[in-house]
Structure formats: C-alpha cells, structure tokens
Amino acid sequence: MALSKIKFTATGSDKILGATIVGSHAGDLLAEFTLAMRYKLGLNKILGTIHPYPTMSEANKATAGIWKKDHAPQTLLRWVEKYFNWTRKKDQS
C-alpha cells in the first residue's frame, strides 16, 4: 500500500491557490487540482464530482471534503439547528 500526502492552499471561499502532492501517482492526482485552478473551479466542484471507487483519485474528493467540514459556517449551523428544533416542538404542540 502506497502512502501519499495531499496539501492545498485555498481562500476562505473555495478558490484553490495551490496544491502539493507527495507519493505514488502524485502526478495523476495533481491533474485534477491543476484543471480546477486553470478554469477557476473551487473545492466544492471537486467535492461534487463523482470519482470512481476505489481509486487514488478519490483522495482529492476526500481532501476537499475535509476542507468543507473545516470551513462550515458554525454560527449559522447552530442558528438553523435551533430554528428546526423550535419548529419541531411547535408542530408537536
């Protein structure tokens, strides 16, 4: 089993500024980030792309998913959770 490391730099939105991949098949994996940077596609587009499973390219999607989770709007999510909890209680009354 080959180990690889994927690291990228992105803005607060999902714009990719750069990517570094070290390991087996690094050039194959880097192609997707290069394409995304060239055509100004963000990490959300990579995350929304269907990747064949199980393949090395799925690592790109997993990396984009980690970024998405780390940049989730926590304040908004807490507010939305409170709102839906309130509406469920209201419906049960």
Side-chain angles (χ1 to χ4, degrees), residues 3-25:
L3 298 177
S4 298
K5 181 174 182 172
I6 299 175
K7 182 178 181 177
F8 60 84
T9 305
T11 62
S13 62
D14 68 343
K15 181 181 178 183
I16 303 166
L17 301 176
T20 303
I21 302 177
V22 178
S24 180
H25 302 283

Side-chain angles (χ1 to χ4, degrees), residues 53-75:
Y53 177 82
T55 64
M56 294 291 288
S57 69
E58 196 174 30
N60 291 341
K61 184 175 181 176
T63 304
I66 291 168
W67 175 88
K68 179 90 169 176
K69 183 179 177 186
D70 290 346
H71 289 82
Q74 295 302 321
T75 304

Side-chain angles (χ1 to χ4, degrees), residues 34-65:
T34 304
L35 180 74
M37 290 170 59
R38 169 65 176 90
Y39 292 101
K40 297 179 177 38
L41 304 174
L43 291 168
N44 286 317
K45 295 291 184 186
I46 291 176
L47 190 58
T49 302
I50 298 172
H51 290 77
Y53 177 82
T55 64
M56 294 291 288
S57 69
E58 196 174 30
N60 291 341
K61 184 175 181 176
T63 304

